[in-house]
Amino acid sequence: MNSAINFSAWLRADGRKGIRNVIVVAYLVECAHHVSRMIVNRADDIDVHLIGFPGCYPNQYAYEMMRAVCTHPNVGGALLISLGCESMNREKLLSDIRASGRPAELLVIQEAGGTRSTIKSGVEAVARLQAQAAQVERVPMYLHELIVGTICGGSDGTSGITANPAVGRCFDALVAADAICIFEETGELIGCETIMADRAITPELGVEIEACVAKAEHYYRVMGFGSFAPGNADGGLTTLEEKSMGAYSKSGSSPISGLIKPGDIPPAGGLYLLDVVPDGEPRFGFPNISDNAEIIELIACGSQVILFTTGRGSVVGSAISPVIKICANPETYRRLAEDMDVNAGCILEGEATLDEVGEEILQNVIDVASGKRSISEELGHQEFILTYKAFEPIGPGCLPVRQIA
Amino acid sequence: MTEKSLAPLILLHPDDNILVCVKQIRAGDEISIEQEIIVSPIDIGVGHKVARFALAAGDKVYRYGAPIGSMVEAVAKGHHVHMHNMKSDYIPSHTRTRQIQYRSEE
């Protein structure tokens, strides 16, 4: 890997670097959603994104996620929209974002005169935030400074043969370049726990990995459904562990350096597993109600780019970080070519090797980090979901790298 | 476009007892499995599995060299392996119309 590969990034006050300079408009309860959406629509800018949390009841996880995504390196400024009576601690969120060196403003609908008045004030606030964000210094960013997350959605029987192992090849190259790579969905790694634990850099981490998959299995058992959608079966997958083995190949073959939870930022280059299943007895329903709930957790862990593999054909993108779509199934690719960045299905047709597609994915990462819009980004996909969850902090065995450093 | 003569079934790992379909198979198509020509009784879609050998109820199913569940019914060599004759050893799968009844032993 050429260690001189670099791209122009936005330098944030905390030293982290962003490959985008997004302004987020965040509703702090569903009651402020419409006003926030109208502000984003009026701004009519591909780099002004709508995010938010719908709940009125307090939740520490939701607060930490909002703080993490509003202070993500791809974010240049934030406008918070509150109704006024919800539980989200808006003043603390505002001061946390400002403390990160970003411009941030807050509008409270109940104090701002209602819907029209808040939309008008919000549009003006976005313009001010954009002007401030445009002043941020641009600096070179190197491959080893990237954090890349991966997820699969709409998997089928081809995912584990083409797109997922090709992402694994790309991850191996990125980890070799000392970048940070994150894979996730412990509920979709059920059946892989022992082979995964064997890749941990310490025995203690291996124990933690097995425990977190056991936790996921218990959680999904209580829910009554595995993380397995009808489309998975249509596409030839029969069992959760079969889906898991395919999903697992996204991680590549590097040693696993740590186990993190949503909002934890990996301390050094390497491969990390993100535990997305809540701790304690199941309280708030399914761990991740759809793919974007996982994507935003990868972003909260610092991911600047997301690699999304799909067999059946997902079309989603995300707010904040660009999503690169890698299609596993050649028939799906032909149907949905306009939504896909990479056709890994060509491997099945003998037209490319896993290594070649892995290199193509890596080149896409470099291009998107350099400013090229991914296809979902160009199409305006900016999905965002945040729901209720509860997590305990990670245990001492989860990040051996931190102790070594 | 030139017609490619790629085999419609691939073996992912030497220890596997299933093959994965990588090119649509139609009912009546002849498929070659372990040096034997078998006439496929049904359509097999891309990504689906067929038995590499005759399998008995209770046999573990191997893909990528790893167990991915167990047979609940016997299946003949070359026939479809899916939700009608195989189950998870962890959590039952579900479809749009039903939750698969096979429960893994606690």
Side-chain angles (χ1 to χ4, degrees):
Chain A
M1 182 72 50
N2 185 350
S3 60
I5 292 172
N6 69 87
F7 20 89
S8 178
W10 284 268
L11 178 63
R12 306 303 177 191
D14 61 4
R16 292 198 285 164
K17 295 173 184 175
I19 63 164
R20 296 290 184 269
N21 203 25
V22 168
I23 303 298
V24 290
V25 177
Y27 57 92
L28 304 186
V29 63
E30 179 59 22
C31 319
H33 189 160
H34 172 70
V35 166
S36 304
R37 183 173 53 226
M38 292 300 287
I39 293 166
V40 170
N41 288 351
R42 300 258 167 103
D44 192 25
D45 183 319
I46 196 169
D47 290 317
V48 176
H49 295 184
L50 177 66
I51 67 170
F53 178 64
C56 189
Y57 294 90
N59 184 250
Q60 187 64 26
Y61 158 82
Y63 180 84
E64 292 300 333
M65 287 288 292
M66 287 298 282
R67 186 194 52 72
V69 298
C70 288
T71 58
H72 185 280
N74 286 355
V75 172
L79 171 62
L80 308 180
I81 306 294
S82 162
L83 173 63
C85 42
E86 75 276 4
S87 302
M88 181 70 77
N89 190 338
R90 57 181 180 259
E91 296 295 342
K92 183 169 188 325
L93 185 57
L94 181 69
S95 73
D96 281 355
I97 300 167
R98 286 178 173 162
S100 77
R102 284 170 180 76
E105 298 197 27
L106 167 67
L107 290 170
V108 180
I109 296 170
Q110 289 168 351
E111 295 165 8
T115 300
R116 279 199 189 87
S117 312
T118 313
I119 293 169
K120 181 171 180 293
S121 302
V123 170
E124 292 162 5
V126 166
R128 283 192 295 275
L129 293 166
Q130 285 175 310
Q132 288 169 277
Q135 303 302 312
V136 173
E137 184 188 356
R138 301 292 294 270
V139 294
M141 177 173 178
Y142 296 87
L143 214 47
H144 73 267
E145 296 175 294
L146 263 185
I147 305 182
V148 182
T150 190
I151 175 171
C152 41
S155 295
D156 71 11
T158 67
S159 300
I161 311 173
T162 61
N164 291 349
V167 165
R169 299 289 204 280
C170 172
F171 262 29
D172 287 345
L174 286 166
V175 170
D178 209 26
I180 291 169
C181 292
I182 310 173
F183 71 113
E184 53 84 59
E185 188 36 322
T186 42
E188 293 171 3
L189 292 168
I190 290 168
C192 310
E193 55 276 6
T194 51
I195 46 173
M196 204 155 51
D198 286 345
R199 287 170 62 194
I201 57 170
T202 64
E204 293 75 20
L205 175 60
V207 170
E208 294 278 6
I209 288 173
E210 288 200 51
C212 92
V213 177
K215 176 183 78 172
E217 190 187 352
H218 171 72
Y219 202 105
Y220 277 100
R221 216 175 265 285
V222 173
M223 294 294 110
F225 293 90
S227 182
F228 191 94
N232 297 144
D234 297 340
L237 292 174
T238 310
T239 65
L240 181 58
E241 57 267 41
E242 179 183 16
K243 179 177 170 181
S244 295
M245 283 302 301
Y248 175 62
S249 63
K250 296 198 300 305
S251 67
S253 57
S254 308
I256 299 174
S257 294
L259 175 63
I260 56 173
K261 291 183 182 176
D264 295 333
I265 296 169
L271 176 67
Y272 295 81
L273 171 62
L274 171 59
D275 177 6
V276 299
V277 175
D279 292 313
E281 281 307 302
R283 273 177 281 179
F284 303 119
F286 290 100
N288 291 292
I289 57 172
S290 57
D291 294 327
N292 281 95
E294 295 160 47
I295 292 176
I296 207 61
E297 290 181 331
L298 287 165
I299 292 171
C301 294
S303 299
Q304 290 122 334
V305 181
I306 302 293
L307 300 178
F308 188 126
T309 65
T310 183
R312 302 299 288 172
S314 173
V315 301
V316 305
S318 179
I320 300 173
S321 293
V323 173
I324 295 170
K325 292 276 249 319
I326 301 122
C327 188
N329 185 321
E331 294 176 351
T332 304
Y333 182 80
R334 282 188 277 275
R335 277 198 303 276
L336 294 175
E338 69 178 42
D339 282 284
M340 302 299 162
D341 295 275
V342 176
N343 173 19
C346 64
I347 294 166
L348 287 190
E349 304 192 320
E351 286 161 9
T353 64
L354 272 177
D355 285 336
E356 286 164 353
V357 175
E359 278 170 34
E360 184 185 346
I361 296 167
L362 179 63
Q363 191 56 52
N364 270 264
V365 170
I366 294 166
D367 292 345
V368 166
S370 305
K372 184 187 165 205
R373 301 286 180 181
S374 74
I375 286 182
S376 53
E377 191 180 16
E378 185 71 45
L379 290 168
H381 280 285
Q382 294 170 2
E383 288 84 352
F384 184 95
I385 299 178
L386 183 57
T387 59
Y388 284 95
K389 277 191 173 186
F391 283 97
E392 301 295 330
I394 55 169
C398 292
L399 276 182
V401 187
R402 183 175 284 167
Q403 289 154 12
I404 293 161
Chain B
M1 225 162 86
T2 57
E3 187 62 31
K4 290 229 164 50
S5 60
L6 288 168
L9 293 167
I10 58 169
L11 176 65
L12 296 177
H13 189 281
D15 294 342
D16 289 358
N17 52 13
I18 55 92
L19 303 168
V20 178
C21 174
V22 296
K23 198 170 126 192
Q24 175 79 44
I25 296 168
R26 297 288 172 199
D29 283 358
E30 290 189 339
I31 49 179
S32 169
I33 298 176
E34 299 295 304
Q35 285 87 47
E36 190 183 335
I37 301 294
I38 286 166
V39 176
S40 181
I42 59 163
D43 290 356
I44 305 278
V46 171
H48 286 245
K49 298 175 287 300
V50 303
R52 184 182 174 200
F53 314 108
L55 300 174
D59 283 358
K60 290 264 183 204
V61 179
Y62 286 85
R63 174 176 173 159
Y64 311 108
I68 58 161
S70 303
M71 298 305 296
V72 290
E73 288 172 20
V75 65
K77 179 176 175 177
H79 286 223
H80 197 201
V81 173
H82 202 18
M83 308 186 95
H84 61 291
N85 55 14
M86 176 188 166
K87 70 167 181 71
S88 171
D89 292 329
Y90 286 82
I91 296 176
S93 303
H94 60 282
T95 67
R96 279 185 197 87
T97 50
R98 66 185 176 131
Q99 185 146 17
I100 299 295
Q101 292 307 307
Y102 311 125
R103 292 273 163 185
S104 52
E105 283 74 38
E106 292 287 340

